[in-house]
């Protein structure tokens, strides 16, 4: 957390104010590899923090779609994202995701890889639908489902509408155009 806070402060000052408030942090003990560790738990539920994480998750869904299908998603496509901070994604849920996301990938440019930065577990038809679990340093995980294929778009909306939005923090059902419009507003 200490490593990323300067960047958050520079690029998202309102989110920094929300998460650096003393009222958002509390000390607690967790069991890690059989040992108890004293950690500081920070609640990241402020409106600016949530908006930034929603936008980041949406952009990761777009990037995963492009990487796995070889093309950008159509603007009328459907995106579902669910982000989890730190221990928000339980081991049980993680292993459940992996059962349906059997493929593994890293980004590579020359000899450099994303190993140690993030991991991508996925499943795709390589044409019009992807499902991916992207994990960053074990601190942030993004579950993404994206499609612009006619047989899938409406079915995804119907299946995922009930589990997204304010009744499930961190989850969002949207269209790629929503991300584009929000990015233009932020300029």
């Amino acid at each position: 957390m200490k490593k990323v806070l300067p960047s958050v402060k520079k690029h998202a000052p309102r989110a920094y104010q929300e998460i650096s408030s003393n009222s958002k942090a509390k000390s607690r003990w967790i069991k890690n590899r059989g040992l108890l560790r004293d950690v500081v738990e920070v609640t990241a539920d402020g409106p600016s923090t949530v908006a930034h994480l929603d936008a980041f998750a949406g952009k990761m869904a777009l990037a995963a779609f492009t990487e796995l299908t070889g093309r950008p998603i159509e603007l009328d496509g459907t995106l579902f994202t669910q982000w989890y901070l730190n221990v928000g994604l339980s081991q049980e849920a993680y292993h459940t995701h992996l059962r349906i996301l059997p493929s593994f990938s890293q980004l590579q440019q020359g000899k450099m890889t994303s190993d140690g930065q993030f991991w991508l577990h996925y499943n795709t038809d390589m044409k019009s639908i992807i499902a991916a679990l992207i994990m960053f340093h074990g601190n942030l995980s993004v579950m993404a489902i994206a499609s612009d294929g006619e047989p899938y778009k409406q079915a995804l909306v119907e299946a995922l509408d009930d589990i997204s939005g304010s009744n499930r923090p961190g989850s969002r059902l949207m269209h790629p155009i929503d991300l584009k419009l929000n990015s233009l507003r932020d300029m």
Side-chain angles (χ1 to χ4, degrees), residues 122-182:
Y122 67 93
N123 202 341
T124 180
D125 68 355
M126 297 169 60
K127 291 183 266 180
S128 62
I129 188 167
I130 65 108
L133 178 62
I134 308 154
M135 300 183 70
F136 299 86
H137 299 285
N139 297 318
L140 170 64
S141 302
V142 174
M143 177 65 189
I145 301 171
S147 179
D148 61 4
E150 278 310 316
Y152 306 116
K153 289 188 304 187
Q154 189 57 37
L156 286 174
V157 170
E158 291 168 7
L160 300 170
D161 191 41
D162 289 342
I163 64 168
S164 67
S166 59
N167 62 332
R168 186 149 185 187
S171 66
R172 183 119 188 258
L173 185 61
M174 65 190 118
H175 299 287
I177 191 74
D178 299 335
L179 282 171
K180 191 156 191 81
L181 292 173
N182 287 338

Side-chain angles (χ1 to χ4, degrees), residues 5-6 19 22 38 48 55 63 66 70 88 103 106 113 115 117 179:
L5 278 179
I19 61 177
N22 285 339
D38 186 19
S48 183
T66 301
S103 301
Q106 301 177 75
T113 69
D115 185 33
Q117 297 294 316
L179 282 171

Side-chain angles (χ1 to χ4, degrees), residues 64-93:
F65 185 91
T66 301
E67 178 70 21
L68 298 171
T69 64
R71 65 178 181 81
I73 194 168
E74 298 292 329
L75 291 178
D76 68 341
T78 299
L79 303 174
F80 170 79
T81 59
Q82 172 74 52
W83 51 262
Y84 308 89
L85 295 173
N86 294 329
V87 294
L89 179 62
S90 70
Q91 287 294 314
E92 182 182 335

